[in-house]
Amino acid sequence: MLRHHIKLISVTFLIAIGFCCCLTVSSDTRPKSYGYYRLPTSLKPEVYTLKIMTKLEDPSNLMFAGEVDLLFKVLSDTDNITLHVQNLTIDEKRTELKKYDDNSTLYCIKDSTILEEHDYYIISLCQPLQKDEMYTLTLAFKAPLNQRLHGYYRSSYLDKSTNRTKWLSITQFEPAYARSAFPCFDEPNYKAKFKIWLGHHKALTALSNMPLERQELIAELPGYVWSVFEESVPMSTYLVAYSVNDFTYKSSGDNGVMFRTWSRPEAMNQCDYAAEIGPQLLMFYENRFGIKFPLKKLDQIAIPDFEAGAMENWGLITYRETTLLFAPNISSESNRERIATVIAHELAHQWFGNLVTMKWWSDLWLNEGFATYMSNLGVDYLNPDWELLNEDAMDNILGVFKYDAHINSHPISQPIEATQQINERFDTISYKKGSAVLRMLHMILGEEAFFEGIRHYLMINMFNNAEQDDLWNAFTDRAHLYKRIEPGYDMKTIMDSWTLQVGYPLVKVIRNYDTATVEISQQRFLLNNSQSVNDNDKCWWTPLSFTTATKKDFATNHSLHWLECKEGKKNIKINLENLANKGEWIIFNVQISGLYRVIYDENNWILLNRTLNSNKYNDIHVLNRAQLIEDVLSLAWGGYMDYNTPLDMLQYLKQENKYIPWYTALQGLANVDRLLKNFPTPYGFFSKFLVDIILPVYNSLDGLNNTIKATEISQVKLKHKMLMAKWACYLKIDDCVQTAVKYFQEWKQSSVNRIPVDSRVIVYCTAIKHGDRSDWEFLWQRLQESNVATERRTLIQALSCSRNSTLLKAYIDLIFDENKYIRKQDSAAAFGAVVRNEVSFPAARDYLIEHIDQLHEFYGPTSHDLTSLLSSVAGQIINTEDMNLIQSLLARKRDFFKEYQKSVSNALETIQLNIGWINRNTDILQRYLVKRTSGDLH
């Protein structure tokens, strides 16, 4: 505990006088001697005593003021203190520096400057600080509660009982926004303990990472109290969290941890599901990892305005309302699934990220990849009947295969050399590729070695920081112990090939049917095989598993052979003998246990195709059926083969009764649909092909009707039914549109919504698409009245389905209206939905170009939402005229996107891929589909 405490009157005094003598931290023109993007290593923070006074009574002046006592140790002699400050007003007359064991002597401060590029606040001293000594620095500061959805910011909700807006405060510090709330060493490796005091009106509640220790009245500010929290465990600044609000909570769990789920009072009845599963998941992870949750309490809280899906702050996890709150009879089963997955993800972070934290953001995947993969295991533990383990694996792999096949992708672990680069790393690569690589590692090592390695990694690094080499060391030890890899192999050599280089391999399998040998090689897969890129030096340690038509062994999914990467010998081919008889197929990558695609010789494709399009299609494991579909569609998309093979193969789907192959197929076919629908003649033939394969399955699942209750069929069957109904209504198959419109009109006329909950997203969109202005306005009114965030998200998406261009243009204006009909956090998704509607795409494209300045101001300079708008538009561009418009925009507004160059490059590459695909495939697909329709294919 600190020996020098902040006096109780200080923050009250600051509030009262409004900081009479202050300096706002802003740019300074004096020369700086230190310009490195990482803090100096001369100081180490030990304990922060942080006092924050928050006043929420005056909406026109929502401010906070604070003081911090920072106890730090000197690791090497230094004549300055350099820490992070961003957009804070510092009262420099109140700055004090004292030796920890000499409370009476103030150290002389020469001056203070700032280095804006890195948010450095540099305090120059009259005499050096001595190595191994401890000092206490006191700083006083204030700032507005911002509206940027990061740092220490404001949120609000409408109390419908009083029709008044209620305000609350909340933090979002990841990755580097703690510095905008209090002066600190804002890098993940500077772990310290925190003693937090929150000043607030006594009618409100204060929450922070740790349990409340006590409350103290503030005599100088009647009606206000200090909420004082217990000292924290050592943690990084980005995990600090606090809030002042008027929320209520539901308690749950009985495993020694006080577990509470918080929301605004009117949403309290939506907390039951999250409160039920949270403690169960916490106990599951404790048992899995062999380490108890180290805090006394865990709060999870639903915030009305929250940019991320959720944030894993230790002991106070923050969520969007859509990812925590479930309203029975309103929220769908897909909403329930999403909520379970997000809660499982954030609770996994309590170990991966919080207990053991990456040393620097280059290894962000150690947090996000682990949390993503462990959440899959956690949800499967809760609900094995959901069959989510395979589905999540496929979903992650699909995301990686698409994103990482761009030339402009990046390695999982890549140097980050500026704070501004961090936000771009929260992407598919860190989350989904990180998860997919861990799944592959799990398959290689097996259950025991994998989890023994994890426990070892956590135990030796707990409360500290780690990098990926620490993980590889733990896994190498266990891999050899359990004899899962050869003695001469080590996990660093193997896994670095997956984490330190961009992309993933296409494994080429060429059979010699006369000699019964198989030649196997690898190359990087790209979304356009004709792209000129020097990837000859790319090579992955690729685990090869396989089976044949005779063996049908889909249980042995660990590596049977390796494609190795010997130093200086890239892309080595290997030859295997006597794998299969001449007339039987071979499948490599059993259950997609490895992160790679496979391309076979023509005859093996024919053998596989023949089995799939027969009554023996179930001979092939469901994941490998999905894999074959994904591989052939993507190989055709990239120009590695023509479309004859995939379109022949997909005929088998008429008899496919499993969800995952259909989900995979329709993901791939949606890409074709997205581009081809701009060309009426070939699209007419393509849509007939889709109708032909979808109609039998749509009918077998009983169409779109009122018997689709979650209690009547399994979760996975329900999802399959909804997927087919979505496409059936889109393609106007059978009775789908009429049924949807009938449901909607009955609701509209009676004002009682009897539309089955899980079909509402389909019914709303279909009814709006085929309806009139009154239908749209009816749904818009429902949006304004809704108290359920998951329902609001469904309504927002459905409103974009109209075919009325005037309505849609007005809708774009409403998305960004300052009256906040749609919250800022939902605006990018709402705009993206409008962009994907071909009727409103031109208006959305023009809106982005014409309102770029307002949008930049709306989101703020550090938000990634502006690039989300750009990516949405880029995905729909199919001609050079529109491409030139976007390139011109980017040239004019280069500064707006300077922190997101990777996202900009990917957006431009997407446009080029779209145009290239159209030029290559439109005519070829039309000729093939015409022949199929006329029966000329043999």
Side-chain angles (χ1 to χ4, degrees), residues 37-39 84 120 185-191 236-237 360:
Y37 69 96
R38 297 287 300 275
L39 286 170
H84 288 112
Y120 289 158
F185 294 84
D186 200 14
E187 294 180 5
N189 57 313
Y190 284 103
K191 287 192 171 184
S236 305
T237 49
W360 180 238

Side-chain angles (χ1 to χ4, degrees), residues 814-839:
L814 290 168
I815 290 171
F816 301 105
D817 193 288
E818 62 182 11
N819 290 314
K820 296 184 179 177
Y821 300 110
I822 293 174
R823 291 183 182 268
K824 183 185 291 186
Q825 65 188 16
D826 297 319
S827 57
F831 182 81
V834 174
V835 167
R836 289 188 293 274
N837 184 337
E838 66 270 24
V839 173

Side-chain angles (χ1 to χ4, degrees), residues 521-631:
S521 60
Q522 61 173 307
Q523 67 184 80
R524 185 185 173 189
F525 179 86
L526 292 169
L527 284 173
N528 184 348
N529 189 31
S530 63
Q531 285 174 307
S532 177
V533 58
N534 183 18
D535 271 335
N536 292 328
D537 62 342
K538 294 259 185 314
C539 178
W540 293 262
W541 277 74
T542 306
L544 300 175
S545 57
F546 51 85
T547 191
T548 66
T550 300
K551 293 179 180 177
K552 295 190 279 289
D553 177 12
F554 288 95
T556 306
N557 51 27
H558 61 269
S559 58
L560 301 173
H561 296 276
W562 288 88
L563 271 179
E564 298 182 5
C565 295
K566 299 293 187 182
E567 187 176 352
K569 297 179 182 178
K570 301 298 181 181
N571 296 324
I572 303 170
K573 296 178 181 179
I574 65 171
N575 288 282
L576 302 177
E577 297 180 350
N578 300 317
L579 295 191
N581 297 323
K582 190 171 186 178
E584 62 174 343
W585 48 255
I586 293 177
I587 288 180
F588 273 75
N589 205 7
V590 172
Q591 293 194 48
I592 328 178
S593 53
L595 189 60
Y596 56 91
R597 295 190 189 280
V598 185
I599 185 169
Y600 301 100
D601 59 83
E602 183 178 2
N603 194 50
N604 200 63
W605 283 121
I606 291 171
L607 293 169
L608 288 166
N609 208 341
R610 189 177 297 158
T611 296
L612 285 174
N613 279 284
S614 73
N615 60 4
K616 293 184 178 180
Y617 74 95
N618 269 312
D619 284 356
I620 299 173
H621 190 279
V622 64
L623 274 178
N624 285 104
R625 300 203 297 273
Q627 172 215 20
L628 292 170
I629 291 167
E630 163 61 13
D631 281 350

Side-chain angles (χ1 to χ4, degrees), residues 715-920:
Q715 180 95 334
V716 69
K717 199 76 170 180
L718 179 65
K719 282 193 292 189
H720 193 188
K721 184 181 183 73
M722 291 301 96
L723 177 66
M724 305 316 293
K726 173 187 172 183
W727 277 84
C729 283
Y730 172 68
L731 294 165
K732 295 184 276 193
I733 290 175
D734 208 35
D735 64 344
C736 196
V737 172
Q738 298 94 309
T739 303
V741 169
K742 181 182 177 183
Y743 272 137
F744 189 84
Q745 292 304 319
E746 287 174 354
W747 176 33
K748 189 177 171 185
Q749 290 161 17
S750 69
S751 293
V752 177
N753 192 346
R754 294 189 176 89
I755 302 169
V757 171
D758 295 280
S759 66
R760 286 179 184 178
V761 64
I762 302 166
V763 170
Y764 295 169
C765 181
T766 305
I768 292 300
K769 182 177 181 179
H770 297 279
D772 57 24
R773 177 181 286 271
S774 69
D775 296 320
W776 196 94
E777 290 174 346
F778 171 79
L779 209 63
W780 174 257
Q781 189 59 37
R782 300 290 81 73
L783 172 64
Q784 304 312 307
E785 295 170 356
S786 176
N787 180 47
V788 178
T790 52
E791 180 184 45
R792 287 180 57 83
R793 191 64 178 259
T794 298
L795 294 167
I796 287 168
Q797 296 290 316
L799 287 164
S800 71
C801 297
S802 174
R803 311 298 289 177
N804 184 322
S805 58
T806 304
L807 264 180
L808 289 165
K809 192 170 183 180
Y811 185 39
I812 298 173
D813 289 326
L814 290 168
I815 290 171
F816 301 105
D817 193 288
E818 62 182 11
N819 290 314
K820 296 184 179 177
Y821 300 110
I822 293 174
R823 291 183 182 268
K824 183 185 291 186
Q825 65 188 16
D826 297 319
S827 57
F831 182 81
V834 174
V835 167
R836 289 188 293 274
N837 184 337
E838 66 270 24
V839 173
S840 50
F841 169 72
R845 175 203 60 207
D846 294 345
Y847 189 93
L848 176 65
I849 293 170
E850 294 165 10
H851 294 80
I852 188 68
D853 292 321
Q854 297 96 309
L855 291 168
H856 184 258
E857 174 63 26
F858 180 78
Y859 287 119
T862 61
S863 172
H864 60 76
D865 280 329
L866 196 62
T867 58
S868 295
L869 306 189
L870 173 68
S871 297
S872 296
V873 170
Q876 305 302 312
I877 290 178
I878 59 169
N879 57 61
T880 54
E881 291 80 10
D882 284 348
M883 180 175 69
N884 291 337
L885 289 174
I886 295 301
Q887 288 177 327
S888 175
L889 169 69
L890 292 171
R892 285 188 292 107
K893 300 297 179 183
R894 190 175 289 107
D895 285 351
F896 288 4
F897 298 97
K898 64 183 178 182
E899 295 177 6
Y900 297 94
Q901 285 305 304
K902 186 65 69 175
S903 300
V904 169
S905 298
N906 270 327
L908 292 174
E909 186 179 349
T910 295
I911 296 172
Q912 292 162 353
L913 288 167
N914 288 349
I915 295 172
W917 185 91
I918 287 167
N919 291 338
R920 288 195 315 274

Side-chain angles (χ1 to χ4, degrees), residues 50 171 173 182 194 196 209 235-242 313:
L50 177 63
T171 56
F173 290 162
F182 60 96
F194 289 82
I196 293 175
N209 304 85
M235 61 184 183
S236 305
T237 49
Y238 79 88
L239 293 169
V240 174
Y242 41 87
N313 316 298

Side-chain angles (χ1 to χ4, degrees), residues 611-715:
T611 296
L612 285 174
N613 279 284
S614 73
N615 60 4
K616 293 184 178 180
Y617 74 95
N618 269 312
D619 284 356
I620 299 173
H621 190 279
V622 64
L623 274 178
N624 285 104
R625 300 203 297 273
Q627 172 215 20
L628 292 170
I629 291 167
E630 163 61 13
D631 281 350
V632 292
L633 282 172
S634 297
L635 290 166
W637 179 279
Y640 295 83
M641 64 166 57
D642 61 33
Y643 269 94
N644 293 8
T645 297
L647 294 182
D648 283 346
M649 181 181 288
L650 294 181
Q651 294 295 320
Y652 107 89
L653 286 170
K654 296 174 187 177
Q655 58 183 339
E656 176 61 77
N657 60 6
K658 295 293 186 181
Y659 172 71
I660 293 177
W662 265 110
Y663 172 77
T664 305
L666 291 174
Q667 287 270 319
L669 292 169
N671 287 326
V672 178
D673 183 88
R674 170 173 56 93
L675 300 184
L676 207 59
K677 67 184 176 184
N678 298 282
F679 302 91
T681 301
Y683 185 67
F685 290 104
F686 179 68
S687 61
K688 287 178 182 177
F689 167 80
L690 291 176
V691 170
D692 182 50
I693 62 173
I694 290 171
L695 178 59
V697 183
Y698 171 69
N699 284 331
S700 73
L701 292 167
D702 204 18
L704 182 68
N705 59 69
N706 62 2
T707 64
I708 51 175
K709 297 177 182 176
T711 55
E712 296 177 357
I713 57 177
S714 69
Q715 180 95 334

